[in-house]
Amino acid sequence: MTLAELEQSYGESMAAVRDATDATALDQVRVRYVGRNGLIPALVKQMKDVPAADRPAFGKRLQTWRAELEELLEARKGEVAAPVASGPVFDATLPGQWSVPGVEHPVTQVIAEVARIFGKLGFTVADGPDVETRFNNFTALNTAAHHPSMDAADTFWFDDDLLLRTQTSPVQVRVMTAHKPPVRIITPGRCYRRDTTDATHSANFHQTEGLYVDTRPVSLADLKSTLAYFAREMMGSKVGVRFRPHFFPFTEPSVEVDFSCHICGGSGCRVCKQSGWIEIAGAGMVDPRVYRFVGYDPEEVYGYAFGMGVERIAMIKYGIKDIRHLYENDVRFLSQFG
Ligand code: DAH
């Protein structure tokens, strides 16, 4: 390279630094000229080929070129590194970042509340599978083979023996078969029936069973006071409770349990169909035949059982008019229960 060519490259390099508009471009210029394999180090190596007469001037010019270029690179670095903000850095009009925390589903909340209330009375939570046997769901609960609830039109059967449980009552059978009295349990869980869905029915719903069996006398009065206590805790102190005679295969005597309608306070409204009462549970004293099926001696034990609909409680507690709201998972509905 001649001295003239050197001057031209010098000019080009300085222009390239001035033209670079960002840090990346600037660095590329630096690498091209002063990097380890850059032009200036290469020219230093070629010094021996420069005619001896020109060599001192050539060497000196390389030195000043390098110094000037590095100085300019340094100066430009400061300029491109700090972009000048062209407006407010913080824009208060932008939508904020936010997230909606989830809430527990009302059915989950009711189940937790049921467990808390009965927990204070010494009941523990027992669990059973959704897929049950004919024996646990029907036979051991003293349900005769021809009972209509066993019909394929009402129950989801897998085969002759296995089914989706139609009630939480089979957990009674499981618990009594596995444990000696006393037993004092509740059993919240899913149940399945071939019901057509409407405002008050769903093919999949929740119940909780309650069972208290002891070797000391347990009476219908105990059942009544327990459920009355539960009603007050769940619905408030003004709630009324009434028992109506009924029939269930697994209890004798059997009752249906109503709470006074909390919407109208008992005077009659659309929700309670003008009766002032809402049916909440079935209950009764455990039938001796059930004790025999689970291996208990009916002469030695006393006990009561009850089964209540969880959605039913959620609906009257929160004033929900259509059970389907509980399954549609519409956030506008669910977020009200936070
Ligand atoms: N299993 C009954 C039903 O699904 C409810 C029931 C009634 C449960 C009486 C009980 C009971 O434990 O004693 O309709």
Side-chain angles (χ1 to χ4, degrees):
M1 186 182 274
T2 64
L3 268 170
E5 285 165 348
L6 193 66
E7 281 313 322
Q8 191 182 338
S9 294
Y10 163 80
E12 284 166 9
S13 70
M14 297 303 271
V17 176
R18 277 188 216 99
D19 291 347
T21 50
D22 59 38
T24 314
L26 207 54
D27 202 51
Q28 281 166 359
V29 179
R30 185 190 62 75
V31 169
R32 178 145 33 99
Y33 289 99
V34 294
R36 201 158 5 112
N37 300 314
L39 182 60
I40 296 178
L43 289 173
V44 171
K45 278 193 206 123
Q46 287 167 22
M47 285 273 290
K48 55 185 183 330
D49 303 328
V50 174
D54 291 343
R55 213 175 288 157
F58 199 94
K60 210 167 161 81
R61 189 66 187 110
L62 275 179
Q63 259 182 20
T64 53
W65 177 12
R66 180 176 195 127
E68 282 177 47
L69 188 73
E70 282 181 341
E71 197 180 321
L72 187 62
L73 276 167
E74 201 52 39
R76 292 282 294 135
K77 212 173 168 183
E79 288 168 22
V80 298
V84 183
S86 58
V89 177
F90 173 74
D91 182 353
T93 66
L94 284 173
Q97 288 184 346
W98 57 289
S99 61
V100 189
V103 299
E104 278 192 337
H105 193 281
V107 166
T108 307
Q109 292 190 25
V110 168
I111 287 174
E113 184 67 0
V114 170
R116 187 190 68 78
I117 296 168
F118 282 105
K120 291 205 285 184
L121 299 175
F123 286 76
T124 53
V125 174
D127 204 6
D130 292 13
V131 177
E132 265 295 3
T133 60
R134 175 193 291 267
F135 180 82
N136 287 343
N137 195 88
F138 290 121
T139 315
L141 291 166
N142 195 33
T143 306
H146 57 267
H147 195 276
S149 63
M150 298 172 77
D151 198 286
D154 293 315
T155 301
F156 292 104
W157 289 92
F158 293 101
D159 54 32
D160 257 4
D161 185 41
L162 291 178
L163 51 89
L164 285 172
R165 66 179 179 190
T166 61
Q167 48 194 358
T168 44
S169 309
V171 188
Q172 291 188 28
V173 177
R174 289 178 175 270
V175 170
M176 287 192 280
T177 306
H179 300 278
K180 287 193 165 54
V183 295
R184 204 193 309 246
I185 49 141
I186 59 159
T187 71
R190 285 177 190 276
C191 305
Y192 306 82
R193 287 183 199 173
R194 298 188 76 140
D195 278 336
T196 306
T197 303
D198 63 22
T200 53
H201 292 86
S202 164
N204 174 207
F205 57 100
H206 297 73
Q207 285 188 338
T208 183
E209 204 75 5
L211 175 71
Y212 174 39
V213 180
D214 209 332
T215 47
R216 67 161 197 87
V218 178
S219 71
L220 198 66
D222 295 320
L223 170 63
K224 191 166 185 182
S225 63
T226 301
L227 290 180
Y229 172 78
F230 169 74
R232 283 195 301 275
E233 287 282 307
M234 194 62 159
M235 297 295 164
S237 57
K238 294 208 184 70
V239 69
V241 180
R242 77 175 181 186
F243 280 25
R244 283 179 289 108
H246 198 74
F247 173 80
F248 293 104
F250 29 89
T251 42
E252 183 59 37
S254 300
V255 291
E256 274 192 327
V257 185
D258 299 339
F259 289 1
S260 58
C261 176
H262 90 304
I263 306 257
C264 62
S267 57
C269 68
R270 215 157 53 87
V271 173
C272 61
K273 301 198 182 80
Q274 309 305 330
S275 73
W277 296 94
I278 293 178
E279 183 198 318
I280 292 292
M285 305 309 291
V286 178
D287 194 290
R289 295 178 61 109
V290 174
Y291 289 137
R292 281 196 209 100
F293 274 114
V294 299
Y296 282 9
D297 180 349
E299 301 298 325
E300 286 181 4
V301 293
Y302 308 81
Y304 61 69
F306 56 86
M308 52 180 117
V310 174
E311 282 82 353
R312 184 60 69 84
I313 295 172
M315 288 173 76
I316 65 166
K317 188 173 165 75
Y318 299 121
I320 300 165
K321 304 244 163 64
D322 191 320
I323 196 170
R324 286 169 289 202
H325 287 310
L326 293 168
Y327 305 114
E328 283 164 354
N329 285 335
D330 186 327
V331 177
R332 291 168 301 179
F333 170 79
L334 293 176
S335 60
Q336 300 174 79
F337 300 93

